[in-house]
Every structure is written in C-alpha cells, then in structure tokens.
Amino acid sequence: MIADPVVKRDDGESPAVARRRLRLALRRLRESLGLTQADVSGHLRWSLSKVNRMETGEVTISAGDLEAILAFFGISDGKKAAQLAQHCRLARRRGWWDRSEIRPHLTPALTNLLQFESDAAHIMAFGPSILPGIIQTHAMAAVILADYADVLTEEQRAARFTLRMRLREQAIGRESGTTCTVVLDESVVLREFGGLRLLASQLEDMLEAVDDQRLDVRILPFTAPTLFGLENPFMLVELDDGDTVLYREGITDEFFDDGAMVDRYRRIFERQLEGALSPAASVRLVKARLAAIESALDRL
C-alpha cells in the first residue's frame, strides 16, 4: 500500500543547482581571464580531463580544488569567493532523495528534476495524453502508478509516488512560491482514467489551484493544428536567475541543461501556448467537462 509522504519545501539551494552554478561560474571566470582549460590543467598539474569534467558537471568540485582554482584565478573578492564556497558546500549536501528506500528507484534524470524543481521560479509543463505528475492528486497518482504493477515492484511504485507528491508540492503547493503553467491536450480532460469519480475529483483539485493562482492551465483544443513536439510530455524548469533546464519523458526519461535543447523546447512550448485557449476559455472548458461528469454521476 502506498502511504502519503510528508513533504515540505527544502531550505537553501539544492545540490544539483549549486553544482551547476559553481561550474558555470568557474567557467565564466576562466573565460573572462582569457584562459583555456589546458592553462588551468597545466598550472595546477591536473589532467585536462579533470578540468573538463569539472566544467561539465561530471564530477563534484572539492573544497580544496576550489581553493586552488580561485588562487590561480587571483580571486581576492571575499564576497565572491564566499559565494562560490557556499555553492561548493551545498553541492556535496545529501538530501531526502538519498535515503535507501528512495535513491535506488530514481533515474538520474528524475533526481536532477527533483532538485532543480525545488529551486524553480517558473515551471512550464505539457501533458499530451495524461495529467503531468506535478498536478496529479494523491488518488490519481496512486491509480496511475498501480497500472505499472506488472513492471514496477511495490517498493519502486512507493518511491515514485513519494517523488511525485514531492514534485507536486514544490510546483503548486500553497507555500511553493513557484509559478506553474501547464498546457494540456483537450483529450486529457476527456479521458476517464480511473473512472468518472476520480476524474471529477482531479478536475476539482486543478480548478481550485487555478482559482488560488497557484496554477495556470491552458487547454490545447482539438481544433488547433498539430504542433511539433505534441507526442511526448516534457517540463521546463526556470530558476530565479533565468537559467532553464528540460526534463523530457519517454521510454526512458532525459534531463538536459544545454542551451540548444532547452531553447528548442521553449520555442515548442511557446507555440503550444499560442495554439491553446485563453486562461478563461480553458477554465470554462474544464468546468463544462466537470459539469458533464457530475450530471452523469447523478444518473448512476
């Protein structure tokens, strides 16, 4: 049986975000000084691959290595050095996702998504056939995950349920501080996954989040032309400094933080928004669907 997780928003920068900010800051510092990775590796007597892996995020930068790099760069600004040292400390912090009952059941992409979403300023998600996990109710998430009983163990499903509820709390929880825009294909609110009562409860919860201004839902109607990227769900997570990452679902999930792929999916999302109904029209459509469900339930 899947139990409701205890969820709350983390305090401070997540390890993944801290690691990314540190490596990007060091790369920008190196480039501003006109230095190459070979210059750094030669001066510090490190292998070139070590420097490259630091800047790409393949390895976590230690406090000692950070001190050596800053000394070589001639960083004497105490405030700047302290900020980078703080990133370095947080990058090595362990979180609740490292617990033995959770970590083995998470993909690297999901682990990154969880951490980046905890620091999100704005989330943009697209659901082509089913509601994105970040807005699924406890009951809907449990039913959807139960459908994977033939491929996921009970422990795996329990871990993913905990993750899904955590992501929901970070995205649209009352204390999240994150804005969330979701584009749904019209078929999503018509599909009776889990039965009419469950769907009605899910739509009521979604409308409540919209009414509380915790969520902006936009419906992509059947009349809209087919848009590129319609076939797979994805999520863009924008941080408060403007940096954005991409989580893409499929047979295997993927996480991207490179500019080209992120920019490509941002353009796709913008095109989907252009084809979607207005916020008011989207709410009217969902309310009409909910009214039809309630009418059908009255006749049962």
Side-chain angles (χ1 to χ4, degrees), residues 178-197:
T178 301
T179 60
C180 186
T181 302
V182 173
V183 176
L184 301 175
D185 186 72
E186 186 175 353
S187 63
V188 173
V189 298
L190 295 175
R191 182 164 290 106
E192 298 177 12
F193 195 93
L196 287 177
R197 294 187 189 280

Side-chain angles (χ1 to χ4, degrees), residues 7 16 18 89 162 171 203 212 218 244 250 292:
V7 293
R89 284 192 296 272
T162 298
L203 295 182
D212 290 345
R218 304 288 297 277
T244 305

